[in-house]
Amino acid sequence: MQTFLDAIRAAIAAETGLEDPKLGRPRDPRHGDSAFPCFEYAKGKGEPPPKVAAELETALNARLEGITAKAAGPFLNFTVDRARLGETILGEIAAGGACYGTSREGEGRTIVIDFSSPNIAKPMSVGHLRSTVIGASIQRLHEALGYRTVGINHIGDWGSQFGKLVAAVDRYGDTVDLEGDPIPSLLALYVRYHEEEESDPGLVEEAREAFRELESGVDGPVRQTWRKLTELSLVEFQKIYDRLGVSFDLVRGEAFYEPHLASAVDRVVDAGVTEESEGALVVDLSGFGKIPPCLLRKTDGTTLYATRDLAAVFHRQEEFAFDRCLYVVGADQRLHFRQLKHVLDRMGLDWEPKVEHVDFGMMRLPEGKMSTRKGRVVFLDDVLNDAVAEAARVIAEKNPDLVDPGAVAEMVGVGAVVFNDLKRERVKDIDFRLEEVLSFEGDTGPYVQYTHARLASIERKAGEIEAAPDWEVLEGAAPILVSMGRFGEVVRSAAARAEPSEVTTYVLSLAREVNSWVARERVLGQEPGVTAARLALARGARQVIGNALTLLGVGAPTEM
Ligand code: ARG
């Protein structure tokens, strides 16, 4: 679909021979709807930017129709004819519908996204919630651009802690209701293990032995217990994924890569970058600065988290020949992913730059930092339940006649938590405060959802209008129209930077603009041509807001 920005880009490309001219926004919106900074192009030509801008002005005005170019120093500003703006942009949106903002530019390219990846036998943490919400949105953003996407849930189902759990199940399994209430039971067993281990060396030995047996690959009682823990945990995780509307193309835990560990280690050894250090096998990374070596195999022969991630990345590269491979994992694992990338680099693998750690900050709940070891955790389901209950309360107060308040409360409560998670740049820490997250007035999901519902209600009341729209009445709404025209650019940039917050920021500001427009200009009960034009704007805005919310994984209610 061709938008006015595409038209500008195409004209610049044709005129200059640039492959993908980068457009920006004029600092002062009164100067234009889009801007092309001429610095780089001028540099290439060896001419002063203002001269180049002036020349381009003439050439582009001859090429463009319905768009005026105007040089301003080193910049070239573009303004879409006001009389045509409404018709052009609202026409693009109506034609695109749910696909407005999407493109096929990623076609033929593959992106692997490792996200969510909670640890078996533990409650899913808010960190995993963040990974789930951010990762799912990044996947949707790439799908919108036509990429082939592969979402992988790299669950933590391997490591010495499973030896501890199996030992704890053997010893104290009878004291809990594993089948009936799996996660709290497993948590209790985990806590119990850590309470007893200091005074009970036998328990520690049992745990070590259990993990050794697991790693040996023997399909005996230990593996059976481990398998049961995995299955019970996955059922619990699924409940949260269902509420969030998130699914995975592949659920492959760390254990999946177990059969590939030996060959992965061999591959690193064959590349000649390993060395022995106190009996362990490591890759020295001192060439990259002050960074500890990457440990591949411990003295006792067991492997590590890093070994499994190496095996996984080799496997993914071979299976998918990815163009990008993202790891949506908290910033606390920065060192781990730097080490992983440095090992690939030292091995001379040219695809190393395609591997990216998409890191994010911490979410602090009012209860303070959580610790699974001490059993101090917040259950995610409780967070979502609280949000939904609060949403239900507010809805009952504001709109007691709503038809299906339960469904809307779920959409608003869960949507509020998701939106809040995507609101700021992902590296920023978040302080989670339920009242703020659920406010209908602030920079929140419910505010945007409310705007969507408000527009939908205007559409319902207006019904079908026969009259031809009188586009001129939308002159005052030019900034809103231009914002809506930019949506595709926002999707592109958010995907490229793996930064869904660009979409949240965008949709919040669009919602604000639209709300003040609705308060200013009446849609219903005007001259038919006036109502028709304003209704088209309301419909277009509802569509764009809805499309943006969908990309974020937030429901778009038509009533609330
Ligand atoms: N399970 C890990 C954790 O909770 C996250 C795994 C992230 N993905 C990866 N390929 N390392 O810390």
Side-chain angles (χ1 to χ4, degrees):
M1 191 196 346
Q2 164 106 352
T3 66
F4 78 92
L5 290 169
D6 295 328
I8 295 172
R9 250 197 312 269
I12 298 176
E15 190 58 40
T16 60
L18 293 174
E19 229 171 73
D20 185 22
K22 293 271 171 297
L23 296 176
R25 267 189 296 169
R27 210 163 293 151
D28 182 342
R30 280 170 305 189
H31 293 164
D33 305 324
S34 179
F36 175 63
C38 299
F39 304 102
E40 245 174 75
Y41 175 58
K43 202 168 161 200
K45 288 183 64 148
E47 286 176 19
K51 177 167 178 269
V52 170
E55 281 167 14
L56 278 179
E57 175 187 306
T58 318
L60 288 173
N61 278 326
R63 283 182 185 270
L64 290 165
E65 212 191 304
I67 300 171
T68 309
K70 188 152 178 30
F75 292 94
L76 198 56
N77 293 329
F78 298 90
T79 307
V80 182
D81 289 356
R82 286 318 185 232
R84 298 172 71 157
L85 196 60
E87 188 174 6
T88 310
I89 289 174
L90 297 175
E92 285 165 10
I93 297 170
C99 291
Y100 179 72
T102 68
S103 76
R104 310 306 307 163
E105 67 181 67
E107 209 139 77
R109 316 217 302 142
T110 300
I111 176 166
V112 173
I113 307 162
D114 177 315
F115 71 106
S116 191
S117 311
N119 299 320
I120 293 303
K122 289 189 193 178
M124 201 187 285
S125 73
V126 272
H128 297 118
L129 172 72
R130 292 213 72 193
S131 173
T132 308
V133 164
I134 296 170
S137 180
I138 293 173
Q139 179 163 19
R140 287 186 217 100
L141 284 164
H142 281 83
E143 261 155 26
L145 298 175
Y147 281 82
R148 169 186 181 214
T149 66
V150 185
I152 304 184
N153 191 354
H154 187 81
I155 49 177
D157 57 0
W158 208 247
S160 49
Q161 70 273 27
F162 291 98
K164 297 178 187 175
L165 262 174
V166 170
V169 171
D170 284 349
R171 285 253 194 132
Y172 322 115
D174 293 345
T175 64
V176 293
D177 179 13
L178 256 185
E179 309 274 344
D181 206 10
I183 304 275
S185 303
L186 288 167
L187 185 62
L189 289 176
Y190 195 68
V191 172
R192 177 93 185 255
Y193 177 92
H194 285 282
E195 281 164 5
E196 311 268 339
E197 77 175 340
E198 256 165 61
S199 57
D200 189 347
L203 180 63
V204 178
E205 195 34 57
E206 279 166 41
R208 215 174 271 142
E209 187 44 51
F211 187 53
R212 245 196 305 269
E213 186 175 327
L214 253 190
E215 284 229 301
S216 74
V218 172
D219 199 356
V222 171
R223 186 161 284 254
Q224 223 171 340
T225 305
W226 167 80
R227 207 174 284 130
K228 187 164 125 198
L229 302 181
T230 307
E231 278 157 15
L232 288 172
S233 301
L234 282 178
V235 169
E236 292 303 303
F237 295 157
Q238 192 56 44
K239 292 182 188 160
I240 293 186
Y241 296 142
D242 287 344
R243 289 186 89 170
L244 296 173
V246 168
S247 60
F248 300 90
D249 301 292
L250 298 166
V251 178
R252 283 182 180 169
E254 293 181 38
F256 172 88
Y257 300 98
E258 201 195 347
H260 306 280
L261 289 176
S263 61
V265 172
D266 286 348
R267 189 164 167 188
V268 188
V269 172
D270 291 345
V273 299
T274 51
E275 52 201 73
E276 296 275 330
S277 169
E278 294 163 34
L281 188 69
V282 305
V283 180
D284 175 63
L285 301 174
S286 57
F288 297 96
K290 247 181 134 59
I291 182 164
C294 179
L295 193 51
L296 293 184
R297 203 166 52 210
K298 288 198 271 191
T299 330
D300 62 5
T302 52
T303 57
L304 297 102
Y305 182 52
T307 328
R308 295 187 284 279
D309 254 330
L310 262 177
V313 79
F314 292 154
H315 193 271
R316 290 169 191 179
Q317 205 276 330
E318 268 159 31
E319 185 173 4
F320 304 112
F322 51 69
D323 295 281
R324 279 181 103 179
C325 177
L326 308 186
Y327 293 86
V328 186
V329 186
D332 51 341
Q333 292 195 26
R334 265 186 204 150
L335 175 62
H336 168 74
F337 287 103
R338 273 174 63 202
Q339 289 179 310
L340 186 72
K341 278 173 66 65
H342 289 333
V343 171
L344 302 178
D345 190 3
R346 277 208 66 194
M347 292 175 71
L349 297 167
D350 60 359
W351 46 268
E352 176 272 331
K354 296 178 178 172
V355 176
E356 297 168 54
H357 177 201
V358 175
D359 56 355
F360 55 80
M362 233 173 49
M363 177 138 98
R364 280 182 295 257
L365 294 164
E367 284 79 353
K369 217 177 170 277
M370 309 191 298
S371 154
T372 325
R373 283 203 183 193
K374 302 213 176 81
R376 219 175 35 220
V377 291
V378 177
F379 291 96
L380 267 190
D381 243 349
D382 293 342
V383 174
L384 295 178
N385 288 340
D386 287 354
V388 171
E390 179 59 15
R393 196 188 61 75
V394 178
I395 288 168
E397 197 182 285
K398 296 206 175 196
N399 189 355
D401 304 325
L402 191 63
V403 179
D404 192 355
V408 177
E410 175 78 14
M411 205 189 270
V412 172
V414 175
V417 174
V418 172
F419 193 94
N420 180 64
D421 222 324
L422 299 172
K423 198 167 94 179
R424 293 164 211 86
E425 287 199 303
R426 57 181 154 73
V427 293
K428 300 222 169 98
D429 290 344
I430 303 182
D431 282 310
F432 184 92
R433 271 187 216 93
L434 194 57
E435 324 79 72
E436 262 171 47
V437 168
L438 271 166
S439 157
F440 279 46
E441 266 102 52
D443 288 346
T444 63
Y447 172 71
V448 179
Q449 290 177 315
Y450 166 73
T451 310
H452 184 271
R454 184 181 190 185
L455 294 169
S457 135
I458 292 176
E459 282 177 66
R460 271 193 307 274
K461 286 188 191 136
E464 282 306 315
I465 307 271
E466 296 286 320
D470 176 3
W471 296 115
E472 265 164 43
V473 301
L474 297 184
E475 265 211 61
I480 305 181
L481 292 165
V482 171
S483 295
M484 296 203 277
R486 278 181 49 237
F487 182 51
E489 299 290 298
V490 174
V491 173
R492 241 175 144 197
S493 167
R497 293 179 54 226
E499 188 59 85
S501 69
E502 287 195 27
V503 179
T504 31
T505 310
Y506 169 82
V507 76
L508 272 170
S509 105
L510 180 60
R512 243 178 267 121
E513 287 178 307
V514 171
N515 267 318
S516 73
W517 176 79
V518 171
R520 244 181 8 245
E521 315 216 357
R522 293 196 56 83
V523 177
L524 306 174
Q526 312 295 304
E527 290 280 314
V530 173
T531 290
R534 290 185 180 156
L535 182 61
L537 188 139
R539 192 172 276 154
R542 202 249 314 129
Q543 184 76 58
V544 176
I545 291 173
N547 292 4
L549 288 176
T550 303
L551 287 171
L552 297 169
V554 174
T558 50
E559 262 180 291
M560 79 184 247

